[in-house]
Amino acid sequence: MEVHDYAACDATELRRLLAAGEVRPAEVREAALRAIEAADGRLNAVVGGPYDEASAAADGPLAGVPFAVKDTLPEAGRPLGFGTRMLDGYVARRDATLAERFRAAGLVCLMRSATPEFAFNIDTAPVAHGPTLNPWNLERGPGGSSGGAAALVASGALPMAHANDGGGSIRIPAAWCGLVGLKPSRGRVPLGPAVGEAVGGFAHEFAVTRSVRDAALLLDAVNGPAPGDRYYLARPATPFSAAIHEDVAPLRVALQTASFFGAETAPEVRAAVEAVARTLEDLGHHVEEACPPVAYEALRACVTVVWSVDLAGLAATFERLTRRPAGPEHVEAASWACIRHGRQLSALDLEDAAFVVNSTARTWGRFLDEYDLFLCPTAPTAAPPSGTPDQDDARFTTASAWIDEVFSRAPFTPIANLTGQPAISLPLGETSDGMPLGVMLTAQTLREDLLLRAAAQLERATPWTHRASLFGP
């Protein structure tokens, strides 16, 4: 299989070719390895591998499809780094449930992809591994924290890759790299067994893909409860891969283009969202401007508490695992500021944050009972220069300073992390200089079926054509 033929396939098409015997698994693996090697030489997106994946199920729905796991998900016997020098040399002792499900689906987990330190940045440029670059423009960042995954998929080196999202870490890289980025409902994809929830319930696991049908197929393969899960969501009666082909009844869609806070929405981003609104109207849906109130100060305080406590907890865990102390010699400046702050917070601070999470979820839950979908930008701008923002910049001496820097650049995505509602970024816009822009849809909790159905309808109505990959003919 030629590399450019491999790179032109999404996962669904690769699986079809494999099932039909038109290509052999060894051919696909070899093409993938050549593509990854070529891409990583330019993008610096891989932090581990290649690995042999003898345990991948030969009869899974994605059997033989190459894949990468983000360096935050434990895979037994493989390095686990979280983008930090604290875990240098550490090897995971057991699999996460999701890692097991990837292999049960037949995915060939060849590589581990780069993440910023503690997966807490909208850029991917950790001191531990250096910057990952955007395949659309090597002077730009790919986003974060799933920047390595997005760079590999956008380059054509992989058809899909694992990602997770605690404030936009699936959706922002998808937007800035021209991909589909689905953040499922809280509890839809298992997090265990080592943790019951991550980042106070903000973080959700899934992937970045090139097509809506790939997102639906992968969600079918990995969703569903595991024993002891804190959130026990039964599998849907209709598979998501079947639901995307069902007719879409006229929907009521709420439209918002202005930023909730922080960076203003760039004119090209606003225009992209408004164009999608017009497409939805042409498809028979009703679109009107509407948005619940967003209490920025309360939201900022909540995120500062929850993320700081999470980083302090991760640092304590990593200290136990490696006997390597958290501190300026082993963690980046902004990370250290958040760790210090997290160590000073009280149970009452967490209780105040939980109140904000609850009130936000109630507000948006009521709103999405009135509207079927919420349409907005994924991010207010296109991808910024690589290294923006710099997590090791010495001027970030407080957690608040770092939180303000990160979330001022990502005003739209964190809401769904607090509420637990599913949201998807679609590559439906482009800047005048050719950089991709993402448009985001959010649905009521557990309505991935509706979200994916609407996304597939938009995909058919406005097919997104990617710039030729690094391996195009």
Side-chain angles (χ1 to χ4, degrees):
M1 187 178 201
E2 296 296 332
V3 170
H4 64 81
D5 293 328
Y6 159 79
C9 296
D10 69 356
T12 302
E13 175 62 9
L14 270 180
R15 182 60 204 140
R16 185 194 70 78
L17 293 171
L18 285 160
E22 297 181 37
V23 294
R24 294 180 292 108
E27 292 179 84
V28 174
R29 176 188 170 85
E30 178 59 29
L33 290 174
R34 282 185 282 146
I36 292 167
E37 181 180 13
D40 194 50
R42 299 175 64 180
L43 304 177
N44 190 37
V46 174
V47 298
Y51 304 109
D52 290 325
E53 188 55 283
S55 58
D59 58 350
L62 287 157
V65 173
F67 195 70
V69 173
K70 183 177 174 180
D71 198 27
T72 55
L73 189 76
E75 295 178 283
R78 296 184 180 180
L80 175 65
F82 266 82
T84 180
R85 290 162 288 172
M86 286 191 72
L87 285 182
D88 185 33
Y90 179 74
V91 175
R93 299 169 188 169
R94 63 180 178 182
D95 283 323
T97 300
L98 183 55
E100 295 173 345
R101 292 194 179 182
F102 287 147
R103 291 198 301 273
L107 290 165
V108 182
C109 300
L110 294 171
M111 303 286 176
R112 292 185 67 80
S113 66
T115 181
E117 186 168 61
F118 297 108
F120 191 30
N121 196 350
I122 57 169
D123 188 44
T124 301
V127 171
H129 300 293
T132 298
L133 305 178
N134 191 316
W136 291 68
N137 182 331
L138 298 180
E139 295 182 355
R140 307 285 188 96
S145 63
S146 304
L152 288 169
V153 177
S155 71
L158 290 172
M160 58 168 57
H162 165 243
N164 51 24
D165 190 315
S169 289
I170 290 174
R171 292 161 289 159
I172 291 171
W176 288 348
C177 290
L179 302 173
V180 175
L182 171 65
K183 183 204 75 64
S185 297
R186 181 179 293 129
R188 179 69 77 186
V189 177
L191 300 178
V195 296
E197 63 181 12
V199 196
F202 291 3
H204 311 144
E205 298 278 351
F206 193 51
V208 288
T209 66
R210 289 194 219 150
S211 63
V212 174
R213 67 180 185 174
D214 278 6
L217 182 60
L218 181 62
L219 192 58
D220 283 337
V222 302
N223 89 92
D229 274 359
R230 181 168 297 183
Y231 305 101
Y232 203 88
L233 305 186
R235 287 176 171 268
T238 301
F240 296 111
S241 54
I244 63 172
H245 299 293
E246 296 176 356
D247 292 336
V248 185
L251 302 174
R252 192 173 186 201
V253 181
L255 169 67
Q256 171 78 9
T257 58
S259 288
F260 297 143
F261 48 81
E264 294 185 3
T265 304
E268 289 179 309
V269 175
R270 185 187 299 270
V273 177
E274 290 171 345
V276 173
R278 291 192 294 273
T279 299
L280 287 168
E281 288 180 325
D282 291 343
L283 291 168
H285 306 300
H286 173 75
V287 181
E288 62 182 78
E289 292 190 13
C291 181
V294 175
Y296 167 63
E297 290 300 329
L299 180 65
R300 183 184 63 81
C302 169
V303 169
T304 301
V305 167
V306 172
W307 266 103
S308 295
V309 169
D310 183 75
L311 264 64
L314 280 176
T317 298
F318 297 166
E319 285 179 327
R320 290 193 298 271
L321 292 174
T322 66
R323 307 298 180 188
R324 188 173 289 134
E329 68 277 19
H330 292 135
V331 299
E332 299 174 29
S335 303
W336 180 230
C338 292
I339 291 165
R340 292 198 316 272
H341 185 61
R343 290 172 173 175
Q344 297 167 356
L345 292 167
S346 70
L348 290 178
D349 293 318
L350 278 172
E351 185 67 16
D352 287 343
F355 175 81
V356 175
V357 171
N358 180 63
S359 61
T360 303
R362 302 294 178 182
T363 297
W364 283 82
R366 289 190 295 270
F367 181 77
L368 285 169
D369 271 347
E370 182 178 356
Y371 292 93
D372 299 295
L373 296 172
F374 179 69
L375 169 67
C376 70
T378 307
T381 67
S386 176
T388 307
D390 180 359
Q391 199 162 345
D392 200 35
D393 189 329
R395 68 188 176 91
F396 295 116
T397 58
T398 67
S400 292
W402 179 242
I403 297 291
D404 286 347
E405 179 73 17
V406 171
F407 286 96
S408 69
R409 300 173 183 273
F412 296 104
T413 51
I415 297 292
N417 297 93
L418 271 71
T419 66
Q421 290 160 340
I424 192 168
S425 180
L426 302 174
L428 290 170
E430 186 174 302
T431 65
S432 59
D433 61 353
M435 292 301 294
L437 298 172
V439 174
M440 188 166 70
L441 294 171
T442 303
Q444 183 61 283
T445 305
L446 308 186
R447 290 308 311 270
E448 285 92 343
D449 60 330
L450 175 64
L451 191 64
L452 288 165
R453 197 177 303 138
Q457 187 183 43
L458 283 169
E459 188 177 42
R460 291 189 295 270
T462 315
W464 42 79
T465 56
H466 299 284
R467 183 179 290 169
S469 75
L470 296 179
F471 316 102

